[in-house]
Structure formats: structure tokens, C-alpha cells
Amino acid sequence: MNTENSIRLRLRFYKDIDENIEVVRQKFVDYSKVISPDFLMKIRNNHIQFTIKGEKQRYWSPYLSVELEEKEGNEKNATHIRGLFGPAQTMWTFFIFLHFIIAGIFLTFLMFAFSDYALNQSIVNDVIIMISMVICWILLYVIARQTRANGYGQMEELERECQKIIG
């Protein structure tokens, strides 16, 4: 998985294997009984979620969501696996909340600037606040990239565990 040249914040991988979806799911179920105490695996139907737990868990620790799907055209004898890395749900929710706050402030002061312009009043303060919101948004993006970079090692650990299961 090439993580350095990607602009996406949430990394993903795909893999096709020539085994029935039930066989692949059973591999995950069997492995969840002997998994290392550093990992937590939750299995619900054809959705598997890996997480780091214990002393290794940090606020930037990634989650790996794995979806098992029947591969089309192989009469249910092959499985398409989609893996998606992401941050902890609380971290993701917090970042989205901050994006909405910044967007709301930007749009509010955009309306103020339009009103002030229509009334032939100074729009300098409004524009300064809008520019600062753009800078805050860029700063959030940089923080998200740094947070992802902090979790590279753990992402690779999660991917290795997944590859170990599916072979």
C-alpha cells in the first residue's frame, strides 16, 4: 500500500481470493479466538473491524474495516475483500465537527461581507475572518495528515494481521 503519494485521508486496499465468502469469514472467526491481546477484532456478518487496544493504543491509532463481498461472475466461489483504514470514530467526529464550525463561520462572515458591501461599509474585518477560516481549514488538513503519518506503523501492523488471516 503506497501511503506517501496519496492525497486521500482514509487509505484503502482491495484483494480478490478464490475462496467462498463463508470460508473466508470463518477464517476471521477462527483467528479472532487466538488473536494477540494488542488487537481487538469485531465480526458482524460480512463486516470485520480490527483495532489496536491496550498500551499500544493512542489517539491516532487507526481502525481497519474489512468488507467481504461475493465476487461477481464466479458462482460464489470467490471473495472480494475491501479494507478501509480510518481514525477512531471519536477523532473522526471531532474533525468533522470542527470542519462544520469553520464552514459555518466562513459562510456567516461571507453574508456579513456581502451585506456590508451592499451598504457601502468596510468589509475588511469580514474578509480577515474569512481568510483566517481558510487558514484554519488548511491547518486542520495538515493536522489530519500528521495524525495519519503517526499511525503508519500501526496501519501496517493491522494490514499484516489481515494478510496473515486471508493468506
Side-chain angles (χ1 to χ4, degrees):
M1 171 177 52
N2 184 3
T3 58
E4 294 299 323
N5 296 325
S6 174
I7 197 165
R8 293 187 310 229
L9 288 178
R10 299 187 71 192
L11 301 173
R12 55 194 81 222
F13 67 89
Y14 306 96
K15 184 167 184 162
D16 294 328
I17 57 175
D18 294 327
E19 292 180 342
N20 186 307
I21 195 167
E22 293 303 321
V23 172
V24 175
R25 185 183 184 284
Q26 191 58 44
K27 285 182 179 182
F28 281 97
V29 170
D30 293 342
Y31 192 77
S32 68
K33 296 173 184 170
V34 296
I35 196 166
S36 166
D38 292 337
F39 298 101
L40 175 66
M41 185 187 308
K42 295 178 185 176
I43 303 171
R44 289 187 181 87
N45 297 326
N46 294 336
H47 179 77
I48 297 103
Q49 186 169 354
F50 283 109
T51 59
I52 304 283
K53 72 173 195 171
E55 292 181 17
K56 293 173 69 175
Q57 185 178 21
R58 302 287 183 263
Y59 74 91
W60 65 76
S61 292
Y63 281 53
L64 172 58
S65 295
V66 177
E67 287 289 332
L68 305 177
E69 301 172 344
E70 291 178 358
K71 188 173 177 188
E72 295 185 23
N74 288 6
E75 300 177 18
K76 298 183 180 185
N77 290 328
T79 303
H80 179 69
I81 299 173
R82 292 184 305 137
L84 176 65
F85 290 99
Q89 287 84 356
T90 53
M91 177 69 79
W92 186 257
T93 303
F94 179 66
F95 264 80
I96 296 301
F97 172 74
L98 289 178
H99 280 282
F100 278 114
I101 294 296
I102 289 171
I105 292 170
F106 180 86
L107 290 174
T108 300
F109 280 90
L110 180 66
M111 289 185 289
F112 288 166
F114 180 73
S115 296
D116 288 343
Y117 179 75
L119 296 171
N120 293 324
Q121 295 179 354
S122 174
I123 62 170
V124 172
N125 291 334
D126 300 328
V127 171
I128 289 172
I129 291 176
M130 289 188 310
I131 290 171
S132 66
M133 290 302 107
V134 170
I135 292 169
C136 287
W137 180 81
I138 292 169
L139 183 63
L140 275 180
Y141 179 78
V142 169
I143 291 170
R145 292 287 295 211
Q146 183 60 43
T147 302
R148 184 178 81 174
N150 290 342
Y152 280 160
Q154 291 181 342
M155 276 190 233
E156 290 171 356
E157 283 182 59
L158 290 171
E159 188 175 19
R160 274 193 305 270
E161 288 294 315
C162 185
Q163 295 295 337
K164 193 186 311 182
I165 296 168
I166 58 180

